[in-house]
Amino acid sequence: MSANAAAEYTSYLDEGETLKSWLTTLDHKRIAVLYLVSITLFFFIGGIAAAVIRLELVTAGGDFVTAETYNKSFSLHGIVMVWFFLIPSIPAVLGNFLIPLMIGARDLAFPRLNLASWYLYTLGGIFTIGMVIAGGVDTGWTFYTPFSTMFSNTYVIAAVLGVFIVGFSSIFTGINFIVTIHKMRAPGLTWFRLPMFVWANYATSVIMVLATPVLAMTLTLVAVERIFQIGIFDPALGGDPLLFQHLFWFYSHPAVYIMVLPAMGVASELIACFSRSPVFGYRFMAYSVMAIAILGFLVWGHHMFVSGESVYAGMMFSLFSFMVAIPSAIKVFNWTATLYKGSISFEAPMLYALGFVFLFMIGGLTGIIVAALALDVHLTDTYFVIAHFHYIMVGGSVMAYLGGIHFWWPKMTGRMYPEMWGRIAAVLIFVGFNVTFFPQFLLGYLGMPRRYHEYPEELEVLNVISSGGALILALGYLLPLLYLLWSLRYGRIAGSNPWEAKGLEWQTSSPPAKYNFRETPIVTEEAYAYSPYKV
Ligand code: HEM
Ligand SMILES: [Cu+2]
């Protein structure tokens, strides 16, 4: 073997062990690992803020932290979880690692841009952490004006700047994925042979590129009004506060699909593999992710039903919101149909995937409830909304993210995680999640408003249950952190395809070599060519 060929077979992890080799890497797989580490850090920062919230709400009185600290806690929690964890999570970690592998490419189209995305993410993160150290922000993750521009005396500018910067990281990732998927597919890999995970990230990238600039512009306007007192949103200065809400939700509703579409992609891969059957209704699944991405741009006004927007606007937004539920439901039906008569096995990734489908379904169905104009007048700004979006974002997206991490862990690291612990954690998370968030539907229905640190005593029992659930959930999240780290050294060697899964990523070694494939693979079959039984 020539020296050159030998170099080709070393794994990407062995391509240099110094910090510098990591911080200057252009390898999509290493950048994915950088993201994995930073995102995990932010997940636990956001988690600590959540713990403060749930501790305060154990008792009806405001006795654990002051009202100010409470406001800062839920603001930090929202900002970190949305922008520094959920938006980048699946695309930046799993997408970065897998998209080139899944389409038989050597890397993403723009490796330098990819590294720049991670640096922007880190820079944005530094601003956000700096903001917390300086004293925090109390506007909520939504930065509603004119409170954020004229009245709040916390560190709004730093917070907004952090989010502004991290937005560019997301735009860069989106551009990179779109170009890569268009231009770098292996011979024979036509659009309708792409894994659903690639489709889902493609749809997500379109949203990232089209919606995120609106967020950047909106946050700039917040800073302009706050610094220069120029009337944009504050009515006292001749501005319009509703303008902010329109602009903010024009980004932030599509953004919720940035958080959930990639999760849908993961679910499709996992369910197909562990039921040994092709994804049912493949083309409709692909059309559905695209339809969700497009329709997602037409429903932002459902966050503003009680803000004073016209009733006719409200009716249209309500109608369009119902329409998003159609492709979402198609996905749920098709996952169920994929399972039907499949040869199902319940490894940890599959437990997460099934958890995802079930919890996403509850999230989606309650979405229809809050999308009904008349019902939402009662439910808006209550814990019902909190429960709704946590069912989708935590029950859905985080479950799928963890399922994906477990499924592709052997590919990323070359080692298996301990299966029994994996299952225990999955069950613990599922139970903990439901105990935490189901009571919040009831609390919201009973009228408990969000964002208050005190509440009437008759709501205490449900709040105690919810906080107890949060403790179980926290333990559930800590477990994978521990055993995955453990497995890096002691885990069983995985081999290239431990799940006997289809998909190009499984045809190369684990962990893959720097350039992924020894030679460009040629694709001759449809996606998910599973036979019913493991060989
Ligand atoms: C079937 C699809 C869905 C429908 C019809 C729907 C509908 C709604 C409606 C009407 C609201 C506003 C309620 C209010 O403020 O009173 C809302 C809030 C929210 N939804 Fe959904 N939703 C759906 C899916 C999703 C998805 C997929 C996500 C995230 C991945 C999500 C995340 C959120 C968030 C974050 C909020 C609250 C934002 C806030 O006020 O802080 N929703 N949803
Ligand atoms: Cu929305």
Side-chain angles (χ1 to χ4, degrees):
M1 215 189 298
S2 73
N4 228 347
E8 247 185 357
Y9 301 143
T10 35
S11 109
Y12 77 101
L13 291 170
D14 298 327
E15 291 281 336
E17 270 150 26
T18 59
L19 191 60
K20 181 164 173 255
S21 75
W22 280 92
L23 294 181
T24 57
T25 181
L26 297 178
D27 183 334
H28 66 102
K29 300 181 289 301
R30 286 190 156 222
I31 297 174
V33 174
L34 290 176
Y35 265 115
L36 176 64
V37 173
S38 16
I39 279 168
T40 307
L41 180 73
F42 274 97
F43 182 66
F44 284 95
I45 294 178
I48 291 170
V52 173
I53 300 173
R54 280 323 317 169
L55 269 171
E56 173 60 70
L57 296 179
V58 170
T59 55
D63 33 26
F64 176 60
V65 290
T66 61
E68 286 75 31
T69 312
Y70 184 79
N71 291 351
K72 288 175 182 174
S73 304
F74 71 66
S75 304
L76 176 68
H77 171 69
I79 292 170
V80 166
M81 288 307 202
V82 169
W83 280 296
F84 292 91
F85 176 69
L86 265 184
I87 295 231
S89 60
I90 297 180
V93 178
L94 295 173
N96 248 329
F97 196 93
L98 293 166
I99 288 173
L101 288 167
M102 283 181 164
I103 65 172
R106 276 164 69 136
D107 205 308
L108 287 175
F110 307 117
R112 284 194 172 75
L113 193 66
N114 197 18
L115 184 63
S117 308
W118 182 74
Y119 274 103
L120 284 174
Y121 172 88
T122 309
L123 189 67
I126 289 172
F127 271 96
T128 303
I129 290 179
M131 172 278 289
V132 177
I133 294 171
V137 69
D138 65 352
T139 57
W141 75 282
T142 47
F143 300 114
Y144 267 23
T145 57
F147 178 69
S148 63
T149 55
M150 306 307 286
F151 301 105
S152 168
N153 47 25
T154 55
Y155 293 86
V156 179
I157 302 280
V160 158
L161 197 61
V163 175
F164 178 87
I165 295 172
V166 85
F168 281 89
S169 135
S170 158
I171 295 172
F172 287 177
T173 303
I175 293 174
N176 226 336
F177 284 2
I178 291 175
V179 176
T180 307
I181 297 168
H182 270 275
K183 290 297 197 191
M184 295 170 66
R185 283 171 285 123
L189 189 54
T190 56
W191 281 90
F192 287 109
R193 282 178 173 174
L194 285 175
M196 286 316 304
F197 181 76
V198 177
W199 268 110
N201 275 283
Y202 181 77
T204 307
S205 303
V206 173
I207 305 177
M208 284 172 161
V209 172
L210 294 183
T212 320
V214 179
L215 174 76
M217 185 187 81
T218 314
L219 296 178
T220 312
L221 292 176
V222 168
V224 166
E225 180 166 281
R226 194 171 165 88
I227 299 171
F228 303 110
Q229 317 276 304
I230 295 173
I232 300 163
F233 304 122
D234 181 9
L237 299 173
D240 180 356
L242 272 198
L243 177 64
F244 174 84
Q245 295 187 27
H246 279 295
L247 292 172
F248 181 82
W249 290 113
F250 185 81
Y251 162 78
S252 289
H253 186 85
V256 306
Y257 294 107
I258 297 179
M259 301 180 233
V260 88
L261 287 173
M264 294 173 159
V266 170
S268 295
E269 303 301 319
L270 271 47
I271 289 173
C273 176
F274 294 105
S275 55
R276 317 301 306 168
S277 50
V279 170
F280 181 87
Y282 173 94
R283 277 185 186 237
F284 276 93
M285 291 297 254
Y287 295 143
S288 297
V289 288
M290 293 312 288
I292 293 173
I294 293 162
L295 284 172
F297 277 97
L298 305 178
V299 302
W300 77 92
H302 67 209
H303 295 273
M304 302 168 59
F305 286 151
V306 300
S307 69
E309 72 180 359
S310 87
V311 177
Y312 298 105
M315 282 159 63
M316 288 317 288
F317 282 124
S318 183
L319 188 72
F320 280 123
S321 304
F322 289 158
M323 280 164 59
V324 185
I326 297 171
S328 310
I330 290 179
K331 305 224 49 123
V332 173
F333 289 137
N334 284 5
W335 287 317
T336 317
T338 307
L339 291 169
Y340 181 63
K341 290 199 173 165
S343 168
I344 300 174
S345 60
F346 295 99
E347 279 88 348
M350 182 62 155
L351 295 181
Y352 282 110
L354 294 175
F356 164 85
V357 174
F358 182 74
L359 300 174
F360 173 75
M361 193 179 67
I362 297 182
L365 288 175
T366 52
I368 298 179
I369 294 177
V370 282
L373 190 45
L375 278 174
D376 191 56
V377 172
H378 173 58
L379 296 171
T380 195
D381 269 337
T382 68
Y383 261 82
F384 194 93
V385 173
I386 307 280
H388 152 67
F389 70 75
H390 281 87
Y391 262 82
I392 292 200
M393 303 201 306
V394 181
S397 305
V398 181
M399 283 298 243
Y401 172 69
L402 288 173
I405 291 285
H406 284 79
F407 184 62
W408 284 292
W409 189 254
K411 183 53 62 185
M412 297 175 82
T413 66
R415 293 192 183 256
M416 299 302 289
Y417 62 87
E419 181 57 39
M420 189 44 83
W421 282 107
R423 291 185 197 183
I424 292 173
V427 171
L428 213 56
I429 290 173
F430 182 82
V431 172
F433 174 81
N434 282 294
V435 178
T436 310
F437 289 100
F438 199 81
Q440 298 185 4
F441 281 125
L442 308 176
L443 283 166
Y445 191 76
L446 293 170
M448 177 162 164
R450 59 194 287 198
R451 301 186 169 174
Y452 281 76
H453 84 312
E454 294 175 320
Y455 55 84
E457 262 178 39
E458 62 265 30
L459 301 178
E460 208 169 61
V461 174
L462 285 169
N463 270 297
V464 171
I465 297 174
S466 179
S467 292
L471 186 64
I472 303 176
L473 190 57
L475 289 177
Y477 285 142
L478 273 174
L479 272 183
L481 184 72
L482 299 179
Y483 66 70
L484 289 179
L485 284 175
W486 176 89
S487 78
L488 286 179
R489 181 170 275 233
Y490 304 104
R492 191 160 50 77
I493 300 289
S496 63
N497 191 359
W499 311 117
E500 288 168 33
K502 301 289 172 181
L504 292 180
E505 79 271 29
W506 301 107
Q507 291 181 14
T508 184
S509 48
S510 309
K514 185 173 180 191
Y515 291 120
N516 296 347
F517 298 95
R518 274 180 227 175
E519 49 207 48
T520 305
I522 294 170
V523 180
T524 52
E525 48 182 26
E526 304 304 309
Y528 311 109
Y530 282 107
S531 50
Y533 301 103
K534 282 194 187 175
V535 272

